[in-house]
């Protein structure tokens, strides 16, 4: 019975936390873009414009819900749901801290420690494309369908290097469980570096971050919704909260991917050279590990915003060329070198 | 029975209306419809140093389904009239229109065979901005006026009165 309650609390907590962060991210993005363009950004709704996402939400919820006459009713309504659902559930296997010991009971700060955690995240990430392509198809609009098809082509090209760079990580750590990968990143590597994934997989990390941006449909890979070419891409026909789900799901995806980067390459909740569990009490250690993990994730979330307002969008053939001619060969080379190193050292 | 039960808007209804109005007035996403020189001033108002985004009027979307405020900036020729009407019809309720510049309001200097003399007989206009072209401050002032107007709206009252049989 007790385990049930704990599991429920963890689910509710991570759900609300993810939603809160995604909501805040819309504000961060708008203020961040304003900062880079020498503007102020939304600052009228609440202190520093912090309630801007709330105002947007209220407006989107109370707007008229239009289903175009020529659209395919079922696919049109299914699109945003199929996009948002995998985005909301992907965080389940990613840790958000080490463990909390309350009343002698050990609580692991992760909803589910699945031994195929990796595959779960990759599978759900690939699911998101169904939402985009069904929404684009169901809208019965030429721009929507172009956006949807672009997203499919992009996903097929980038899923391969994404998977291959993850595979190299699996080779290094010998496990699929994200918690076990986090646990072994304690200590130092080669005597002076923190024992983080990035120092064992530098090329793998670069491949991963590039493909992650493509997976999340973020600039410079936001071709499915390129405003300057195809109006608004796959969500051209969507208004009200259906659009809200698409926009919101994107931020949730970003959060999941940033957390994945931290877990795999940046030592999860470990600080470099310092072992927090040595001098912190059980409860404060749990909270500290959560905070460290979150701060690292926040940096990568900010990196998403930073890149978006710095790098211009690629042309379509450049995206395909980069994917097939550069990233896939590099990912294969990376996998080969990793396998070789492991073979020689073990 | 229904009529007697209804004695004016209650606390819950007015608060809900205030909340909705607050949300709507704080996030009027614009649909930029710049057809002539006024469009340049509109872009200026959206960019740095004037920055319409401060009021939440950000994310200019070129899809009418996603926009709330149609900013009609520029001359409307006779050929453009059906297009304008169609764009307006495609927008989702609630929607508002700002007519920016003398051309959009009355046809301006173009008193010719080809120019439509003011858009108000094509689509309902909420705020007119005089000037040729109006400065970006003018557009910002119009946006603030529109926000005032949105705050005076009663988004739920009609439905409630109908539901109570009033
Ligand atoms: S009002 Fe003046 S500036 Fe504006 S579109 Fe007409 S002619 Fe151009």
């Amino acid at each position: 019975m007790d385990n049930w309650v704990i599991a429920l609390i963890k689910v509710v907590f991570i759900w609300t936390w993810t939603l809160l962060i995604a909501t805040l991210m819309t504000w961060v993005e708008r203020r961040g873009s304003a900062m880079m363009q020498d503007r102020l950004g939304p600052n009228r709704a609440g202190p520093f414009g912090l309630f801007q996402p709330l105002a947007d939400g209220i407006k989107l919820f109370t707007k008229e819900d239009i289903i175009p006459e020529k659209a395919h009713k079922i696919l049109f309504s299914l699109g945003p749901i199929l996009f948002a659902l995998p985005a909301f559930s992907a965080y389940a296997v990613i840790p958000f801290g080490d463990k909390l010991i309350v009343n002698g009971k050990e609580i692991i700060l992760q909803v589910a420690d699945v031994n195929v955690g990796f595959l779960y995240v990759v599978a759900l990430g690939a699911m998101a494309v169904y939402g985009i392509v069904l929404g684009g198809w169901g809208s019965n609009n030429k721009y929507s369908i172009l956006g949807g098809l672009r997203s499919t082509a992009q996903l097929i090209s980038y899923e391969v290097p994404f998977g291959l760079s993850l595979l190299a990580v699996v080779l290094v750590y010998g496990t699929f469980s994200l918690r076990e990968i986090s646990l072994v990143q304690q200590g130092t590597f080669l005597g002076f570096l923190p024992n983080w994934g990035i120092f064992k997989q530098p090329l793998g990390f670069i491949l991963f971050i590039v493909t992650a941006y493509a997976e999340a449909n973020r600039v410079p890979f936001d071709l499915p919704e390129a405003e300057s070419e195809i109006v608004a891409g796959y969500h051209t026909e969507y208004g009200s909260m259906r659009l809200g789900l698409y926009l919101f799901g994107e931020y949730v995806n970003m959060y999941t991917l940033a957390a994945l980067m931290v877990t795999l390459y940046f030592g999860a909740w470990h600080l470099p050279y310092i072992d927090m569990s040595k001098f912190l009490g059980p409860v404060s250690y749990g909270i500290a590990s959560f905070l460290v993990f979150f701060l690292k994730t926040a940096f990568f979330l900010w990196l998403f915003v930073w890149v978006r307002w710095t790098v211009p969008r690629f042309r379509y053939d450049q995206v395909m060329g980069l994917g097939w001619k550069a990233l896939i060969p590099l990912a294969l080379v990376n996998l080969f070198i990793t396998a070789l190193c492991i073979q020689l050292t073990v | 029975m229904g009529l007697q039960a209804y004695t004016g808007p209650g606390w819950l209804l007015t608060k809900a209306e205030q909340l909705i109005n607050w949300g709507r007035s704080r996030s009027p996403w614009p649909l930029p419809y710049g057809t002539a020189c006024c469009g340049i001033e509109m872009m200026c108002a959206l960019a740095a140093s004037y920055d319409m985004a401060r009021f939440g009027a950000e994310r200019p979307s070129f899809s009418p389904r996603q926009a709330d405020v149609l900013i009609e900036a520029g001359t409307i020729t006779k050929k453009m009239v059906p297009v304008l009407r169609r764009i307006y019809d495609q927008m989702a309720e609630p929607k508002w229109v700002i007519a920016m510049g003398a051309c959009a309001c009355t046809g301006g200097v173009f008193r010719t065979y080809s120019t439509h003399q003011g858009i108000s007989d094509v689509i309902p206009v909420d705020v007119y901005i005089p000037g040729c072209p109006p400065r970006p401050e003018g557009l910002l002032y119009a946006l603030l006026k529109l926000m005032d107007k949105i705050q005076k709206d009663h988004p739920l009252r009609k439905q409630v009165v109908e539901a109570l049989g009033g």
Side-chain angles (χ1 to χ4, degrees):
Chain A
M1 186 59 205
D2 241 16
N3 286 342
W4 274 101
V5 177
I6 290 170
L8 199 68
I9 290 173
K10 281 198 284 196
V11 168
V12 171
F13 170 74
I14 200 65
W15 183 274
T16 37
W17 180 253
T18 317
L19 293 190
L20 187 72
I21 296 302
T23 322
L24 267 180
M25 271 313 289
T26 64
W27 175 82
V28 169
E29 173 128 83
R30 290 168 77 165
R31 292 292 293 220
S33 79
M35 204 175 94
M36 286 178 206
Q37 297 169 348
D38 197 16
R39 296 186 287 123
L40 282 173
N43 65 356
R44 290 297 196 274
F48 305 107
L50 263 174
F51 297 157
Q52 187 63 45
L54 197 66
D56 287 335
I58 291 173
K59 184 206 68 181
L60 286 173
F61 261 115
T62 56
K63 224 166 151 56
E64 184 191 2
D65 179 24
I66 292 185
I67 297 184
E69 194 189 352
K70 296 276 167 57
H72 190 296
K73 306 276 177 306
I74 297 168
L75 296 186
F76 188 83
S77 357
L78 214 58
I81 300 171
L82 277 186
F83 182 75
L85 213 61
F88 289 148
S89 23
Y91 204 94
V93 297
I94 302 176
F96 49 93
D98 190 2
K99 59 186 178 210
L100 207 61
I101 298 173
V102 183
N103 293 339
K105 200 162 167 53
E106 191 177 291
I107 303 169
I108 291 168
L109 295 183
Q110 184 182 17
V111 173
D113 182 16
V114 196
N115 56 3
V116 289
F118 252 103
L119 301 180
Y120 176 83
V121 174
V122 175
L124 282 184
M127 280 278 285
V129 76
Y130 287 106
I132 295 180
V133 83
L134 282 187
W137 180 269
S139 300
N140 205 357
N141 172 321
K142 56 185 176 240
Y143 300 115
S144 303
I145 201 159
L146 275 176
L149 292 179
R150 277 181 174 195
S151 145
T152 323
Q154 186 172 314
L155 191 97
I156 290 171
S157 334
Y158 281 79
E159 193 73 17
V160 181
F162 185 76
L164 287 176
S165 61
L166 287 180
L167 216 53
V169 177
V170 175
L171 271 184
V172 170
Y173 293 114
T175 171
F176 274 106
S177 155
L178 291 168
R179 179 168 165 78
E180 280 169 36
I181 290 178
S182 316
L183 282 173
V184 295
Q185 297 191 44
Q186 176 70 51
T188 51
F189 174 58
L190 298 177
F192 64 101
L193 288 170
N195 195 12
W196 290 359
I198 179 149
F199 299 113
K200 298 178 178 166
Q201 284 286 319
L203 181 61
F205 173 66
I206 293 171
L207 290 170
F208 180 80
I209 198 165
V210 173
T211 46
Y213 279 60
E215 291 265 316
N217 286 330
R218 292 284 294 183
V219 180
F221 302 103
D222 70 331
L223 290 137
E225 47 183 314
E227 305 98 348
S228 50
E229 299 158 25
I230 47 173
V231 192
Y234 59 91
H235 57 58
T236 303
E237 292 289 344
Y238 285 93
S240 72
M241 204 50 207
R242 295 179 201 268
L243 171 71
L245 271 183
Y246 270 127
L247 300 181
F248 204 60
E250 186 184 316
Y251 288 96
V252 178
N253 267 339
M254 267 164 63
Y255 184 49
T256 311
L257 285 169
L260 201 59
M261 281 175 210
V262 172
T263 315
L264 298 179
Y265 295 101
F266 283 87
W269 55 83
H270 301 300
L271 285 174
Y273 311 118
I274 302 169
D275 189 356
M276 288 188 298
S277 60
K278 289 261 166 58
F279 53 87
L280 284 178
V283 176
S284 50
Y285 171 65
I287 295 168
S289 70
F290 171 74
L291 283 180
V292 169
F293 189 88
F294 175 67
L295 284 180
K296 288 182 186 176
T297 314
F299 171 76
F300 283 99
L301 282 173
W302 169 243
L303 196 70
F304 269 105
V305 175
W306 195 353
V307 167
R308 168 157 184 181
W309 301 99
T310 312
V311 186
R313 182 183 304 123
F314 283 119
R315 219 170 50 217
Y316 188 63
D317 59 317
Q318 289 170 331
V319 170
M320 287 295 125
L322 181 71
W324 291 99
K325 290 193 222 139
L327 293 183
I328 292 182
L330 275 177
L332 285 171
V333 168
N334 182 41
L335 193 63
F336 180 72
I337 296 174
T338 313
L340 207 65
C341 290
I342 287 168
Q343 195 62 37
L344 292 179
T345 49
V346 172
Chain B
M1 176 57 208
L3 256 177
Q4 280 104 40
Y6 182 72
T7 54
W11 184 85
L12 200 64
L13 179 63
T14 44
K15 286 294 167 216
E17 281 190 331
Q18 273 174 16
L19 188 70
I20 292 175
N21 283 342
W22 176 81
R24 284 177 176 174
S25 67
R26 289 292 164 195
S27 132
W29 290 357
L31 172 64
Y33 195 85
T35 44
C37 9
C38 272
I40 307 292
E41 296 294 316
M42 178 184 66
M43 290 168 213
C44 185
L46 282 165
S49 93
Y50 289 105
D51 191 20
M52 246 162 75
R54 284 177 295 153
F55 307 100
E58 209 174 6
R59 198 180 175 284
S61 53
F62 299 94
S63 160
R65 308 257 189 241
Q66 303 170 2
D68 308 292
V69 181
L70 177 71
I71 302 180
E72 209 297 294
T75 326
I76 288 295
T77 54
K78 295 238 158 87
K79 282 212 166 179
M80 207 63 184
V81 167
V83 179
L84 179 64
R85 177 73 219 184
R86 190 158 160 200
I87 294 280
Y88 178 78
D89 286 342
Q90 281 178 341
M91 288 169 68
E93 289 283 350
K95 50 194 172 185
W96 296 276
V97 178
I98 295 178
M100 182 181 179
C103 286
C105 298
T106 63
V109 290
F110 301 105
R111 195 156 186 79
T112 58
Y113 66 94
S114 62
T115 308
H116 195 76
Q117 303 294 311
I119 60 167
S120 52
D121 49 359
V122 185
I123 54 176
V125 178
D126 292 278
V127 186
Y128 294 92
I129 317 174
C132 179
R135 285 184 58 91
E137 287 97 330
L139 182 54
L140 291 184
Y141 185 65
L143 192 72
L144 291 179
K145 282 276 163 222
L146 185 69
M147 283 161 76
D148 286 347
K149 180 171 178 176
I150 297 171
Q151 300 235 318
K152 288 189 200 121
D153 199 9
H154 298 297
L156 297 177
R157 203 153 300 177
K158 193 160 152 264
Q159 283 99 313
V160 172
V161 172
E162 267 167 18
L164 292 173

